[in-house]
Amino acid sequence: MTLYEAELVVDRRHLAADGVLALTLRHPLGEELPVWEPGAHIDVVLGPGLERQYSLCGDPTDRHAWRVAVLREPDGRGGSAYVHGQLAAGGKVRVRGPRNHFALRPSPRYLFVAGGIGITPILPMLAAAEAAGARWTLLYGGRTRDSMAFTEELKRYGDRVRLAPQDESGLLDLDSLLATPQPDTLVYCCGPGPLLDAVEERCARWPAGSLHVERFQPRAKEAGKGQGEGEAAADTEFEVVLERSGHTLTVPADVSVLDTVRAAGVEVLFSCTEGTCGTCETDVLDGTPDHRDSVLDDEERQAGETMLICVSRCHGKRLVLDL
C-alpha cells in the first residue's frame, strides 16, 4: 500500500494543557489531505533519525487540516523537545500516513478510558459515537486537572465525561466501570502502560473482542516471551523468503527480521523499532509469525496474515513475506 507523504506547514500551535502542545498542520498549497477515521495516526519526520507517531485528534471531516497534540517529555528521546522548543508556526514537517490500528468498530454502546495524552485518539471517537447515535461514557484521568488536554472541548458532552485528576480523586476507579461485563459494549482505552494493563486485567472476563487498546510504549514482557497466542518461540535462527524481491535470507537468533531485510538491501518503511507504531507491518504469505508487537489485536494475531517485522519472529523454521 502506498501511503500519502508530503511536507506540511504548521498553521497553528497552542497549549492544550500544561505540557501539551497542539499543532494544526495544513498543505502549503491548500491541497486536501487524505481521509482518515478516528484512531488513526501519522508519522511525523522531525529531522534525521527523529521520526515520531502522533494520533490525529481533530475533525475527520476537515479535509484541509490535521491536528495532533504532543506531550512534553523531559526524559524522552528528543521528539517532544524538538516540537515544543523548535517547531514554530510556519515551520514545515514531513508527514506520512495516516494509518489506523485502533479503528472504532460499530457498537450500540462504548466505554472509553483515557489516561493523559491518551485522550488524543479517543477525542474524535467521541464525536463519531455521538454522530452514530451510540450510548457512551468517557473516564478520563491525568496527573492534575491542568495537565489534562482538551477538557474545554469535552464540556459539550456534559456528564457523559467524567474527569478524574489523580491529585483530586486518586487512581481511576476501573472496578466500578469494568468489573461486570456489559452486553453489546466495546471498551476503548489509550494511555500509559500501567493503565492499559489494569484495564486488560479487568476486561479478561468480557466477551472476546470487547476491548481495544492503543499503546504508546511496548508492552512489558518477559525475555523470550511473545505477544501472540500460546508460548513464544525462543530466539532461534530461521529462514525468511522475500517473495517479491526474490531473496531467501537467514535471520540470526540475535537479529531482527527488519535488520536482516535491510542488510540485504531491501527497502522497507520503519520507525519505532519497538513494535508500537505499525510502520513496518508486512503481509505474511506463508509460515506462522511469533507476534511480539503491541499493535495487532488478538484476532489479527490469530489470523497471522501480517506481522511487525521490527520485533516479531517465527514459530517454526520459515516465513514467506510480501517484500
Side-chain angles (χ1 to χ4, degrees):
M1 180 179 66
T2 301
L3 289 173
Y4 175 82
E5 186 167 352
E7 191 172 61
L8 302 185
V9 64
V10 179
D11 180 64
R12 180 172 181 248
R13 45 177 277 156
H14 72 279
L15 282 176
D18 285 350
V20 178
L21 184 65
L23 303 176
T24 301
L25 307 176
R26 298 182 184 273
H27 194 281
L29 299 180
E31 295 179 6
E32 286 192 341
L33 302 175
V35 172
W36 62 278
E37 295 182 349
H41 71 265
I42 56 173
D43 306 328
V44 181
V45 181
L46 302 169
L50 199 61
E51 182 174 321
R52 299 292 183 265
Q53 288 71 44
Y54 299 119
S55 297
L56 291 169
C57 58
D59 180 1
T61 67
D62 185 351
R63 294 292 307 278
H64 291 90
W66 280 350
R67 186 177 69 172
V68 298
V70 181
L71 172 67
R72 177 65 184 263
E73 298 182 90
D75 299 323
R77 297 177 296 165
S80 69
Y82 178 87
V83 171
H84 279 253
Q86 299 183 53
L87 187 56
K92 293 182 178 180
V93 290
R94 191 144 201 91
V95 303
R96 185 171 56 239
R99 295 184 180 86
N100 199 344
H101 289 282
F102 193 43
L104 185 68
R105 299 184 180 182
S107 177
R109 187 166 186 264
Y110 299 96
L111 296 178
F112 297 106
V113 182
I117 197 64
I119 190 62
T120 51
I122 299 294
L123 200 60
M125 291 184 178
L126 305 182
E130 185 83 352
R135 292 173 294 148
W136 61 268
T137 56
L138 165 66
L139 178 59
Y140 176 22
R143 293 180 293 103
T144 66
R145 192 173 294 270
D146 287 343
S147 73
M148 297 168 65
F150 304 116
T151 54
E152 286 298 315
E153 293 185 23
L154 292 170
K155 285 182 178 179
R156 65 189 177 106
Y157 296 122
D159 60 6
R160 281 173 295 175
V161 174
R162 180 177 153 204
L163 301 182
Q166 187 173 347
D167 64 338
E168 298 177 20
S169 55
L171 297 176
L172 294 180
D173 183 6
L174 299 176
D175 289 327
S176 63
L177 187 71
L178 302 172
T180 303
Q182 301 183 31
D184 300 320
T185 302
L186 296 183
V187 180
Y188 278 79
C189 179
C190 186
L195 171 63
L196 301 187
D197 294 341
V199 169
E200 286 183 339
E201 179 182 351
R202 285 159 177 80
C203 287
R205 297 183 297 276
W206 285 57
S210 297
L211 175 62
H212 302 269
V213 303
E214 182 170 62
R215 291 179 179 269
F216 295 137
Q217 299 294 331
R219 186 194 309 265
K221 58 181 180 293
E222 301 174 30
K225 295 289 186 180
Q227 301 301 331
E229 292 296 311
E231 291 296 314
D235 287 345
T236 57
E237 179 180 288
F238 61 93
E239 181 179 89
V240 61
V241 178
L242 310 184
E243 183 75 11
R244 283 190 284 118
S245 54
H247 292 282
T248 297
L249 309 173
T250 297
V251 181
D254 59 348
V255 179
S256 69
V257 176
L258 173 64
D259 287 344
T260 301
V261 168
R262 293 184 66 227
V266 177
E267 292 295 324
V268 59
L269 291 176
F270 70 98
S271 179
C272 74
T273 69
E274 296 180 324
T276 60
C277 73
T279 303
C280 69
E281 184 176 8
T282 301
D283 288 340
V284 177
L285 304 179
D286 193 28
T288 305
D290 170 25
H291 297 292
R292 303 186 180 192
D293 64 275
S294 301
V295 173
L296 302 180
D297 61 27
D298 289 342
E299 183 178 327
E300 291 168 325
R301 290 175 184 150
Q302 290 170 5
E305 295 175 352
T306 68
M307 65 183 288
L308 280 295
I309 62 173
C310 65
V311 291
S312 297
R313 298 185 68 81
C314 177
H315 279 298
K317 296 293 185 181
R318 184 175 181 267
L319 284 173
V320 181
L321 303 179
D322 186 23
L323 288 173

